[in-house]
């Protein structure tokens, strides 16, 4: 094993890696950063199971599931085979005027798995015919699915005779993507609002939800909806877990409060399950913690097991009918790569793996391992909070993390993490075994106590 330069080093390693990293630095823009980046990214050569293999030969246990997506790990034989098999038939055809089996079957399977009144199919209490999310709009990425959800909500309200309902309401601390309308409902302090003030549409915000149920806060939610019912089309939230906005958890009963109040005022309820969907919180969808069915639900990230970019906005028949009836005539959206067959085929394979149910115990065991391993960090200097839910572990610091030093500390433990702000957190692939969970815990501890 060679010793690579530390992150931030300006001298690239010799040979092919050095050339690639030099080209990367010259031409490739990485997320949330300047061009060129302030530090050197780690060059990944391949990934298998829960391990990322770096070009310098090191192997890292992946604590990030590639931003919540790679729930079954890398190079999974079932997912690989689905992709190869589909590529032999067709990789892509346009979706306007054409359709195909991978998209049709995927949509039907999503409808079957999605939350529905009386329990979702995944909890074994499906009551077929109960109101659920019956219609699926496939699109390219999470942010685009949020855009589609907003378009659905605004179009539906307009069609129902409420053209004034054009704003969105949410609670603070959220994150819904990086395109403009999703940005407008991200946390106005922690998000990118200050950068874009005067550009983003002004939405309606209420305080971030407390962890525990608080009657006074619940009343605030209702009051917000009542006060703004003439101008908001929908309330949009991440159910149970606010992810990139701060990795905060809240009592699921708030979702019921939102459901009742939105229903009472004819406002639509959108759940962004892009991060929480497909088992991460211990339920297939976080909405199930509350037994609530939204009017519109966004999914993405883990939909394809992290293989390809694909997302979807699902909606009820009532929403679809409102948009489609009368003069409106349809939803004005249609991405070029809508329903991409490769992505749909691999998504179907991922859902098939989820349907075998092994994820339930895997997520529980990972959660137990994270809880046992991370709890001892509570009270350590610099540590403000430790929290675990489903297969997510979070160590919140009382200061902003030095991202590069913390990442390097985790890498030195053989673990891949991507801390941000005051958070060192992990959401491992569900197939992570106990020993690797213990290693991830060591990586989180090292990152959280660096410096
Ligand atoms: N909503 C939530 C809750 C997310 O976590 C993310 C991605 N971090 C998005 C939306 C945006 O998804 P994408 O990055 O695929 O556009």
């Amino acid at each position: 094993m060679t010793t690579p330069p530390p992150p931030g080093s300006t001298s690239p390693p010799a040979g092919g890696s050095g050339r690639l990293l030099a080209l990367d630095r010259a031409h490739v823009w990485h997320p949330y950063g300047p061009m060129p980046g302030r530090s050197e990214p780690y060059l990944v050569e391949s990934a298998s199971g829960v391990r990322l293999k770096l070009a310098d030969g090191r192997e890292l246990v992946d604590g990030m599931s590639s931003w919540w997506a790679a729930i079954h790990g890398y190079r999974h034989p079932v997912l690989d085979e689905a992709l190869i098999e589909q590529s032999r038939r067709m990789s892509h055809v346009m979706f306007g005027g054409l359709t195909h089996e991978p998209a049709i079957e995927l949509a039907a399977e999503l409808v079957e798995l999605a939350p529905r009144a009386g329990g979702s199919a995944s909890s074994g209490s499906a009551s077929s015919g109960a109101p659920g999310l019956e219609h699926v709009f496939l699109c390219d990425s999470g942010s685009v699915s949020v855009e589609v959800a907003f378009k659905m909500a605004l179009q539906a309200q307009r069609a129902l005779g409420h053209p004034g309902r054009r704003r969105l309401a949410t609670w603070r601390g959220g994150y819904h993507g990086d395109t403009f309308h999703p940005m407008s409902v991200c946390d106005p302090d922690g998000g990118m609002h200050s950068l874009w003030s005067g550009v983003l549409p002004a939405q309606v915000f209420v305080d971030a939800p407390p962890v525990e149920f608080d009657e006074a806060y619940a009343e605030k939610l209702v009051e917000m909806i009542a006060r703004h019912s003439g101008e908001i089309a929908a309330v949009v939230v991440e159910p149970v877990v606010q992810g990139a906005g701060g990795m905060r958890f809240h009592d699921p009963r708030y979702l019921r409060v939102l459901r009742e109040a939105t229903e009472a005022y004819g406002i639509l309820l959108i759940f962004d399950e892009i991060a929480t969907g497909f088992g991460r919180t211990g339920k297939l969808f976080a909405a199930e913690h509350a037994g609530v069915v939204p009017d519109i639900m966004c999914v993405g990230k883990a939909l394809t097991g992290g293989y390809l970019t694909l997302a979807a906005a699902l909606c009820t028949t009532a929403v679809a009918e409102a948009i489609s009836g009368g003069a409106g005539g349809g939803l004005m959206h249609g991405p070029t790569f809508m329903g991409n067959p490769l992505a749909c085929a691999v998504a179907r394979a991922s859902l098939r793996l989820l349907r075998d149910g092994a994820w339930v115990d895997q997520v529980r065991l990972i959660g137990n391992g994270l809880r046992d391993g991370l709890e001892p960090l509570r009270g350590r200097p610099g540590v403000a909070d430790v929290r675990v839910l489903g297969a997510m572990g979070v160590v919140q610091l009382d200061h902003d993390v030095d991202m590069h030093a913390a990442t390097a500390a985790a890498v030195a433990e053989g673990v891949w993490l991507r801390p941000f702000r005051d958070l060192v957190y992990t959401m491992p692939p569900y197939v992570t075994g106990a020993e690797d969970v213990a290693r991830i815990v060591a990586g989180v501890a090292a990152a959280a106590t660096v410096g």
Side-chain angles (χ1 to χ4, degrees):
M1 236 166 61
T2 53
T3 309
S9 156
T10 49
S11 54
S17 303
R19 182 183 154 272
L20 287 175
L21 288 170
L23 288 173
D24 185 277
R25 187 168 175 74
H27 303 297
V28 184
W29 215 310
H30 284 269
Y32 305 111
M35 182 75 233
R38 289 203 186 87
S39 63
E40 194 169 83
Y42 295 84
L43 185 59
V44 183
E45 191 182 78
S46 62
S48 182
V50 300
R51 285 180 163 66
L52 309 179
K53 188 169 178 201
L54 301 186
D56 61 31
R58 284 182 298 177
E59 288 196 350
L60 305 180
V61 176
D62 178 23
M64 297 301 291
S65 298
S66 284
W67 274 337
W68 313 75
I71 53 176
H72 308 296
Y74 303 90
R75 284 191 56 203
H76 193 291
V78 171
L79 302 186
D80 280 8
E81 184 50 37
L83 203 50
I84 292 163
E85 171 58 24
Q86 183 56 41
S87 72
R88 292 204 183 101
R89 294 167 186 228
M90 62 183 163
S91 293
H92 186 66
V93 291
M94 65 184 281
F95 213 50
L98 299 175
T99 194
H100 46 76
E101 183 183 352
I104 297 166
E105 295 285 10
L106 174 63
E109 286 159 10
L110 281 173
V111 167
E112 192 190 314
L113 290 174
R116 60 179 57 241
S120 80
S122 68
S123 59
S125 56
S127 49
S128 70
L133 297 158
E134 302 290 337
H135 310 286
V136 181
F137 194 99
L138 296 166
C139 53
D140 329 49
S141 71
S143 302
V144 175
S145 77
V146 174
E147 299 277 11
V148 169
F150 292 171
K151 211 180 254 195
M152 284 176 169
L154 267 66
Q155 268 195 246
Q157 291 289 8
R158 190 185 295 181
L160 292 167
H162 305 290
R165 289 180 172 167
R166 282 187 283 177
R167 296 176 76 192
L168 299 156
T170 188
W171 47 38
R172 286 170 183 264
Y175 175 83
H176 298 281
D178 293 342
T179 56
F180 276 83
H181 255 80
M183 271 202 295
S184 74
V185 284
C186 290
D187 186 76
D189 298 323
M192 284 162 277
H193 274 252
S194 48
L195 189 62
W196 291 109
S197 67
V199 176
L200 294 179
Q203 312 292 16
V204 174
F205 288 93
V206 68
D207 294 343
V211 180
E212 310 290 348
F213 190 77
D214 171 17
E215 209 51 73
Y217 178 78
E219 280 167 25
K220 252 191 204 182
L221 290 177
V222 177
E223 200 257 332
M224 168 188 74
I225 291 164
R227 184 145 42 94
H228 295 280
S229 61
E231 57 172 347
I232 55 174
V235 173
V236 56
V237 295
E238 293 159 278
V240 182
V241 177
Q242 294 184 299
M247 297 298 297
R248 291 156 46 92
F249 310 149
H250 56 257
D251 192 306
R253 281 174 287 179
Y254 292 131
L255 305 173
R256 277 190 229 148
V257 172
L258 289 177
R259 178 66 288 180
E260 281 165 24
T262 48
E263 224 157 61
Y265 288 94
I267 305 301
L268 295 169
L269 181 61
I270 303 172
F271 282 172
D272 177 347
E273 292 252 14
I274 291 163
T276 50
F278 306 111
R280 182 56 67 182
T281 69
K283 301 276 189 190
L284 194 63
F285 294 100
E288 293 171 29
H289 288 283
V292 161
V293 183
D295 300 293
I296 303 172
M297 180 174 87
C298 297
V299 293
K301 287 189 181 285
L303 174 57
T304 64
Y307 268 51
L308 284 168
T309 178
L310 182 71
L314 285 73
C315 73
T316 59
T317 298
V319 169
E321 281 179 351
I323 292 168
S324 311
L331 185 69
M332 288 301 122
H333 208 95
T336 306
F337 287 99
M338 183 167 179
N340 174 258
L342 289 173
C344 290
V346 76
R348 290 192 65 207
S350 176
L351 295 186
R352 211 159 48 239
L353 291 176
L354 287 174
R355 270 201 303 268
D356 83 9
W359 66 271
V360 177
D361 281 340
Q362 291 168 337
V363 165
R364 190 170 43 77
L365 289 174
I366 291 171
N368 290 345
L370 293 176
R371 204 168 285 112
D372 291 348
L374 298 180
E375 231 1 271
L377 294 176
R378 195 183 289 282
R380 292 269 285 271
V383 173
D385 190 30
V386 175
R387 45 190 185 265
V388 173
L389 178 71
M392 288 171 283
V394 184
V395 177
Q396 186 159 14
L397 307 175
D398 61 12
H399 55 278
D400 276 356
V401 69
D402 175 339
M403 192 201 282
H404 305 298
T407 303
V411 166
E413 293 290 336
V415 176
W416 176 244
L417 298 175
R418 184 75 172 159
F420 73 105
R421 278 180 14 208
D422 55 353
L423 300 162
V424 181
Y425 69 111
T426 177
M427 55 270 179
Y430 302 163
V431 292
T432 309
E435 267 182 36
D436 286 332
V437 171
R439 192 189 274 230
I440 289 172
V441 161
V444 171
T449 55
V450 74

